[in-house]
Amino acid sequence: MNKPEQECLAGFSAGLLLSRPLRRVIGAAGYSISNGWLGVRGRSIAVWGRIPRSKRVVARWPNVPVVTFEDAFLRSDLPGLGSPPIGLNIDDVGVHFDAGRSSKLEEILQTAKFDDRLLARAANGRAFLRHYGLSKYNAVPRGYATVPKAGYVLLIDQVAGDASIIGGMANAESFAEMLVAARAENPGKRIVIRTHPPVNNSTKSGHFSMSEIDKNTELSSEPLNPWDLLEGALKVYCVSSQMGFEAILAGHQPVVFGAPFYAGWGLSEDRQTIARRTKKLTVDELFAGAMLAYPFWYNHARQHACSFEEAAQQLLAQAKQHWGGLLPVTALGMRAWKRPTVERFLSGSKLVHFAGSDRAAISNTKKNNGQVVVWASRESDELAKMCDASEISLVRMEDGFLRSTGLGAALTPAASLVLDDRGIYYDPSKASQ
């Protein structure tokens, strides 16, 4: 079978030209990219978003067609090239966060007729993301940390100078106006200002600081899952953050001070007007356009184009792998000769402590806010009850089905291990993963 012909684009950014995982995704989408600095020669230009270099390239060749690549609204477990995107927004009309002109996404939302099958997929997809707490980046799972007590007004900050702010016809003053409005429209209510995650770990700055704190206003910068924050909010205010889109998916009607892709469709309280957007959408229609029809999804494990559902399942698997290493582990029932191997398998965890008894395991886990991993045959009814009473995660460990070249009786270390938080595969009396 002949490989379909790819459209060759002129590229100018190192990521588009050199990142092998990214190039695989782009290739599967039907494009190839070569060095544009050697000449455009009648080709369309490939740019990444509207970073400064992309703006300079577009300005240099104003009459050449442009194909814009951007991360999809579900990207990876963590930011950076070390975690390649599972999806791309590929747009030959504009770019989804620039409201100054139309985009392919806007055209889809304005003109598409979504059938019942697609809307059913949208409803299921929305429920899937909400249940598992999946977002663009997925540093922490749902329930990872304590959110503020429910009943607050949530304001969503962003990194100063982000392209989506300018593209959303907003600026730094928009954030100040948002805080003033939130206080005036919700007198006496607690206001939680959510800082943008990159602000907490870099030299980047947001629009709010400790100077905004008063008896009714607090900053939230802890590592929290965005869906947990949204579910505790009475009302949500944003400028152009993707979290405003997720607020809609979570059942809110956010107050929006910019002009992001999800505003102007009757699902938000907009403080700006986008005259081109005249259609009224349901939440599932918005999801169908933004998550099913617009992005290109890719399965990196199998290296092929895939559906949203397959990509979301892939992201969940990656996120769970990452999440599993966030909590300290108290390991129980591990014989001394197995411990070095067990510790290597659990090396993604912050800490592995080996306990000699059920009570010692529970006590240590309470101290470090972690989880218990027990060798499955050593699990007792008492341990399960104590973990349940203390709301501690209990995970069983056992040899995998391809174990080693020798017997455990000969102290041969395992080449594979199973971790199961429901049961264990050899016990038919209860369900297992």
Side-chain angles (χ1 to χ4, degrees):
M1 183 176 179
N2 293 329
K3 189 175 181 179
E5 186 176 348
Q6 295 181 328
E7 180 181 353
C8 185
L9 306 176
F12 299 86
S13 71
L16 290 173
L17 291 169
L18 302 177
S19 171
R20 298 176 82 176
L22 189 57
R23 287 173 66 88
R24 279 198 293 268
V25 183
I26 292 171
Y31 298 94
S32 64
I33 298 178
S34 60
N35 194 333
W37 297 114
L38 300 178
V40 173
R41 296 189 296 274
R43 293 177 293 165
S44 295
I45 292 171
V47 297
W48 186 266
R50 290 298 180 266
I51 58 176
R53 175 171 289 177
S54 298
K55 292 179 180 178
R56 292 194 296 269
V57 168
V58 172
R60 183 172 176 178
W61 288 281
N63 298 317
V64 177
V66 175
V67 179
T68 300
F69 295 84
E70 259 287 343
D71 291 324
F73 304 122
L74 286 183
R75 184 192 184 277
S76 55
D77 52 351
L78 297 173
L81 292 177
S83 300
I86 61 165
L88 292 176
N89 292 334
I90 303 173
D91 202 315
D92 57 2
V93 178
V95 61
H96 69 267
F97 56 75
D98 183 1
R101 56 176 293 183
S102 187
S103 67
K104 186 176 178 181
L105 175 56
E106 184 179 289
E107 290 184 355
I108 290 170
L109 294 173
Q110 180 68 32
T111 63
K113 294 182 179 179
F114 303 109
D115 59 31
D116 290 343
R117 179 177 172 275
L118 198 68
L119 293 178
R121 287 179 61 200
N124 290 335
R126 184 160 57 93
F128 183 88
L129 300 189
R130 185 173 183 175
H131 177 76
Y132 289 107
L134 294 182
S135 185
K136 184 172 184 177
Y137 302 115
N138 299 275
V140 297
R142 297 205 63 168
Y144 178 74
T146 303
V147 298
K149 185 179 179 181
Y152 48 84
V153 175
L154 180 63
L155 270 67
I156 304 169
D157 196 6
Q158 293 173 252
V159 173
D162 186 83
S164 72
I165 299 173
I166 301 168
M169 300 189 291
N171 52 38
E173 293 180 0
S174 305
F175 290 85
E177 293 169 5
M178 177 172 67
L179 179 56
V180 170
R183 285 171 169 166
E185 295 164 9
N186 304 277
K189 296 292 185 183
R190 284 184 301 128
I191 294 177
V192 174
I193 301 174
R194 179 59 179 171
T195 59
H196 197 61
V199 172
N200 304 328
N201 304 306
S202 70
T203 57
K204 296 178 180 179
S205 61
H207 299 87
F208 299 108
S209 64
M210 295 300 293
S211 61
E212 276 79 34
I213 301 304
D214 59 27
K215 65 178 183 179
N216 289 327
T217 309
E218 63 183 91
L219 287 178
S220 169
S221 58
E222 301 82 2
L224 296 170
N225 189 284
W227 293 89
D228 289 341
L229 267 176
L230 290 169
E231 291 200 350
L234 286 175
K235 200 168 184 179
V236 178
Y237 287 73
C238 63
V239 175
S240 61
S241 169
Q242 181 179 315
M243 202 167 165
F245 172 52
E246 289 158 352
I248 293 174
L249 304 185
H252 291 284
Q253 187 177 21
V255 183
V256 184
F257 283 75
F261 73 90
Y262 51 82
W265 309 107
L267 297 170
S268 53
E269 187 179 322
D270 303 322
R271 299 300 162 91
Q272 293 200 48
T273 301
I274 311 167
R276 295 189 308 272
R277 301 177 188 176
T278 59
K279 191 175 180 181
K280 299 301 178 186
L281 300 175
T282 66
V283 177
D284 288 334
E285 286 173 334
L286 177 65
F287 188 96
M291 302 297 271
L292 303 182
Y294 183 49
F296 175 81
W297 299 108
Y298 186 79
N299 186 320
H300 285 278
R302 296 178 176 174
Q303 296 191 7
H304 65 203
C306 67
S307 65
F308 161 80
E309 290 83 357
E310 185 177 336
Q313 288 282 1
Q314 177 192 183
L315 179 58
L316 177 61
Q318 294 170 342
K320 282 184 172 181
Q321 180 74 13
H322 168 68
W323 296 339
L326 294 175
L327 296 177
V329 169
T330 301
L332 180 64
M334 311 293 176
R335 295 173 64 185
W337 70 270
K338 290 182 178 180
R339 291 183 180 185
T341 300
V342 168
E343 193 163 17
R344 284 196 297 272
F345 270 87
L346 298 175
S347 61
S349 300
K350 295 178 180 177
L351 174 70
V352 179
H353 174 83
F354 292 95
S357 69
D358 291 359
R359 294 194 179 278
I362 295 296
S363 175
N364 186 72
T365 304
K366 285 181 177 179
K367 289 178 184 177
N368 61 27
N369 192 31
Q371 59 184 329
V372 173
V373 176
V374 62
W375 196 260
S377 62
R378 297 291 301 277
E379 180 187 356
S380 65
D381 291 339
E382 182 184 10
L383 176 66
K385 290 176 182 177
M386 286 192 293
C387 286
D388 188 55
S390 301
E391 296 184 343
I392 291 173
S393 174
L394 176 61
V395 181
R396 294 105 188 143
M397 178 179 278
E398 181 52 85
D399 289 330
F401 298 117
L402 292 177
R403 185 196 183 279
S404 58
T405 58
L407 299 176
L411 309 189
T412 307
S416 67
L417 292 171
V418 169
L419 290 168
D420 199 315
D421 62 358
R422 298 188 66 192
I424 196 66
Y425 59 81
Y426 60 71
D427 181 2
S429 67
K430 56 185 176 182
S432 68
Q433 282 191 9

